[in-house]
Amino acid sequence: MTNFPAARSLAAHVRPLIIEPGHSANHCATCGARGESVCASIDDRNLDRLASAAIVTDVAPGKTFISEGEPADSFFNITAGTAKLYKLLPDGRRQITGFAHAGSFLGLAVSSIYAFSAEAIDNVRYCRFPRRKLQSLLDDFPALEKRLLETASNELVAAQDQMLLLGRKTARERLASFLIAQKRHALPCRHSENRIALPMSRADIADYLGLTIETVSRTFTRLKNEQLIAVPNATCVDVLDREALLSLAEGYESGD
Amino acid sequence: MTNFPAARSLAAHVRPLIIEPGHSANHCATCGARGESVCASIDDRNLDRLASAAIVTDVAPGKTFISEGEPADSFFNITAGTAKLYKLLPDGRRQITGFAHAGSFLGLAVSSIYAFSAEAIDNVRYCRFPRRKLQSLLDDFPALEKRLLETASNELVAAQDQMLLLGRKTARERLASFLIAQKRHALPCRHSENRIALPMSRADIADYLGLTIETVSRTFTRLKNEQLIAVPNATCVDVLDREALLSLAEGYESGD
DNA sequence: CGCACACTTGAACCCCCTCAACCCAAGTGG
DNA sequence: CCACTTGGGTTGAGGGGGTTCAAGTGTGCG
């Protein structure tokens, strides 16, 4: 299910990496996710400021590193892996509000309390910024604040799309939308051009799309029977008819 | 349905107010919505900068002033009335993603295209900021940018709540959540302490909650029969049992 | 080999939707 | 003044998409 068969079981589930003082200025400079993240707005000269504020941490699959309702004293910048963000109702009903990939910035709540929980799906690495330190970074680097505003705006647009999906789309349309979005997001899937990696479980997909596991599974097989996709195994999908999938996702053909 | 019986029919539906040059520095200073809006972050000395960038406009009920997919060359700050924000699917299915009240800031899309449409529900007044002018304001007043980031963060939290509602709550829970949220938002309802004004139609409520008109209506009468609310007429609701409504909204009791 | 766990498939049910009628208040015009 | 229309809201009957409950099928791993 994940690509890190060895390193997983050893690690304490939330383990800050030890960065020696002498090297602390470097890890941002060599960070592969920098280009995708808000950190790109800080130029090379000031990278050490950024690096010294960040606490790099690894999280094992299935471990929760943000809990809804707890004091929000940190911000998180995912640099590797995929995490799910979710909210719960008292009886256990769950809504996944999004998936966080390398470059995602989490914790943008003005409130002093996290509005959602976050759990690692595969091996996740993040940079954690204590609230105060990020605040001073924001004061010193207006470009960072500008970038954060852009990020928040983009997420707002995505959230509106998701509301449309949850409120008005059929199960087929939801799954098609999900696959199209996954395809856009996670291009870095070698293999075929049309292969989509699905690191999350069926339960996660269901809770993201406002459906049940069973409906997700049935809808997968239906799209498979209709030759829109192929499902070599549970962790990936091949897109066979991109056009049809796209117009389905956009709500053009609900029946048929 | 609205409180402005006279002024309505005369007005051209989108009519910029004529502000004489000599007075242009004033309308922000006397704006009742300033405290609630992002404009509060600009101090009195600089209000004229703000005022000269804003184009005040009135919109009649039912008129669309932002259209999804069109070039996003302006930002909007609602100063009076209520507007609905929505997205459409090609076959007409509609999802209302939110209601904008006095103080709401719209158009926060990085993209050059609006992600949603906006339509006035009652008589709406807004300040329109051309993209370029807002940009220069942001450059000159970091506090404004900070305030915008706060606003966006709060909306993101609200959007996540709405996703939970749309994906996982029952019709009763949705309506209860909606009523509770409306109560919080629009306190300024004289009359009773427990009266909630509902300027939007049943169709709007339905499209906001991911339901149909009929289900909204039936759910209203059910909550009424259960003595949780009273519905004197279609445009307002009295909360009779706030506790029960609240715990319903939070998902504690789905049946019964 | 056998357990565990995720996924798939089947059958019955139910909440909400669809379709349709009805109510009611506000015009509108003869 | 009343007949007619219009539009929003309510109520009823029936149907369907997705859920629930339950069993079956893999697949990895000890």
Side-chain angles (χ1 to χ4, degrees):
Chain A
M1 168 160 281
T2 170
N3 303 327
F4 303 75
R8 176 169 7 159
S9 48
L10 326 162
H13 43 272
V14 175
R15 165 173 63 87
L17 294 187
I18 283 55
I19 311 262
E20 314 89 277
H23 292 79
S24 69
N26 281 340
H27 68 264
C28 286
T30 59
C31 174
R34 184 174 157 220
E36 323 297 325
S37 85
V38 294
C39 308
S41 61
I42 307 243
D43 59 26
D44 294 343
R45 292 195 313 281
N46 296 307
L47 265 193
D48 51 346
R49 263 300 294 285
L50 186 65
S52 68
I55 301 156
V56 183
T57 306
D58 279 353
V59 185
K63 298 304 175 186
T64 301
F65 58 96
I66 299 179
S67 290
E68 182 180 355
E70 295 204 344
D73 38 43
S74 293
F75 298 87
F76 299 81
N77 205 2
I78 309 291
T79 58
T82 305
K84 53 191 170 195
L85 317 178
Y86 61 92
K87 292 172 74 75
L88 290 174
L89 289 174
D91 62 0
R93 281 174 287 172
R94 186 179 68 157
Q95 179 64 39
I96 291 183
T97 57
F99 296 102
H101 307 96
S104 299
F105 187 88
L106 307 180
L108 254 189
V110 184
S111 137
S112 57
I113 279 182
Y114 291 120
F116 56 84
S117 303
E119 179 184 323
I121 291 178
D122 46 23
N123 281 294
V124 165
R125 175 172 293 185
Y126 61 72
C127 290
R128 186 168 68 81
F129 298 90
R131 205 178 178 77
R132 297 202 86 79
K133 290 199 177 172
L134 185 81
Q135 199 55 58
S136 82
L137 278 175
L138 285 180
D139 292 338
D140 296 352
F141 303 111
L144 180 57
E145 187 146 56
K146 196 153 288 187
R147 182 70 185 256
L148 270 186
L149 185 55
E150 281 179 23
T151 303
S153 305
N154 286 331
E155 293 206 30
L156 222 36
V157 171
Q160 289 164 355
D161 285 337
Q162 193 68 2
M163 287 189 230
L164 178 62
L165 179 148
L166 293 170
R168 289 301 179 217
K169 288 186 182 176
T170 66
R172 285 177 81 223
E173 291 167 343
R174 292 181 198 205
L175 197 56
S177 302
F178 171 71
L179 292 175
I180 296 288
Q182 281 296 112
K183 191 166 167 54
R184 275 199 242 280
H185 230 291
L187 338 158
C189 186
R190 50 227 155 276
H191 287 298
S192 163
E193 178 75 12
N194 298 317
R195 175 153 298 187
I196 305 170
L198 299 178
M200 67 289 291
S201 69
R202 294 288 186 270
D204 290 341
I205 298 175
D207 285 345
Y208 181 57
L209 300 179
L211 302 169
T212 59
I213 302 177
E214 295 92 329
T215 300
V216 169
S217 182
R218 275 186 256 271
T219 307
F220 264 123
T221 58
R222 178 158 174 214
L223 292 179
K224 195 169 59 183
N225 292 338
E226 293 166 343
Q227 311 275 328
L228 298 191
I229 60 170
V231 187
N233 63 66
T235 68
C236 70
V237 162
D238 288 330
V239 177
L240 301 182
D241 188 342
R242 190 167 196 291
E243 289 307 311
L245 208 60
L246 199 58
S247 73
L248 188 54
E250 292 173 347
Y252 279 103
E253 35 182 334
S254 47
D256 172 26
Chain B
M1 169 159 279
T2 169
N3 303 328
F4 303 75
R8 177 172 1 163
S9 48
L10 327 160
H13 43 270
V14 175
R15 163 173 65 87
L17 295 187
I18 284 55
I19 311 263
E20 314 88 279
H23 292 81
S24 70
N26 281 341
H27 69 265
C28 286
T30 60
C31 173
R34 183 173 160 222
E36 322 298 323
S37 85
V38 293
C39 307
S41 61
I42 306 236
D43 59 28
D44 294 343
R45 292 194 313 281
N46 296 307
L47 265 193
D48 53 343
R49 263 299 296 285
L50 186 64
S52 68
I55 301 155
V56 183
T57 306
D58 279 353
V59 186
K63 299 304 176 185
T64 301
F65 58 96
I66 299 179
S67 291
E68 182 180 355
E70 295 203 345
D73 39 42
S74 294
F75 298 86
F76 299 82
N77 204 2
I78 308 291
T79 59
T82 306
K84 52 191 171 195
L85 317 178
Y86 61 92
K87 294 173 71 78
L88 291 174
L89 289 174
D91 61 0
R93 281 174 287 173
R94 185 178 68 155
Q95 178 65 39
I96 292 184
T97 56
F99 296 102
H101 308 95
S104 298
F105 187 88
L106 306 181
L108 254 189
V110 184
S111 139
S112 56
I113 279 181
Y114 291 121
F116 56 83
S117 301
E119 180 184 323
I121 291 178
D122 45 22
N123 281 297
V124 165
R125 175 172 293 185
Y126 60 72
C127 289
R128 187 168 68 80
F129 297 90
R131 206 178 177 76
R132 297 202 87 80
K133 291 199 177 172
L134 185 81
Q135 199 54 59
S136 81
L137 278 176
L138 285 179
D139 292 339
D140 296 352
F141 303 111
L144 180 58
E145 186 145 57
K146 196 153 290 186
R147 182 70 186 254
L148 270 185
L149 185 55
E150 281 178 22
T151 302
S153 304
N154 285 332
E155 294 207 28
L156 221 36
V157 170
Q160 289 164 355
D161 284 337
Q162 193 66 3
M163 287 189 229
L164 177 63
L165 180 149
L166 292 170
R168 289 300 179 218
K169 289 186 182 175
T170 66
R172 285 178 81 224
E173 292 167 344
R174 292 181 199 204
L175 197 55
S177 302
F178 171 71
L179 292 175
I180 296 287
Q182 281 297 111
K183 189 165 168 55
R184 274 198 241 282
H185 231 291
L187 340 159
C189 185
R190 51 226 155 276
H191 288 299
S192 164
E193 178 75 11
N194 298 317
R195 176 153 297 185
I196 305 171
L198 298 178
M200 66 290 291
S201 69
R202 294 288 185 270
D204 290 341
I205 298 175
D207 285 346
Y208 181 57
L209 300 179
L211 301 169
T212 59
I213 301 177
E214 296 91 331
T215 299
V216 169
S217 181
R218 275 186 255 271
T219 307
F220 264 122
T221 56
R222 181 161 173 210
L223 293 180
K224 195 170 57 183
N225 292 338
E226 294 166 343
Q227 312 275 328
L228 298 191
I229 60 172
V231 188
N233 63 66
T235 69
C236 70
V237 162
D238 288 330
V239 177
L240 300 183
D241 189 342
R242 189 166 197 291
E243 288 308 309
L245 208 60
L246 198 59
S247 74
L248 187 55
E250 292 174 347
Y252 279 103
E253 35 184 332
S254 47
D256 178 19

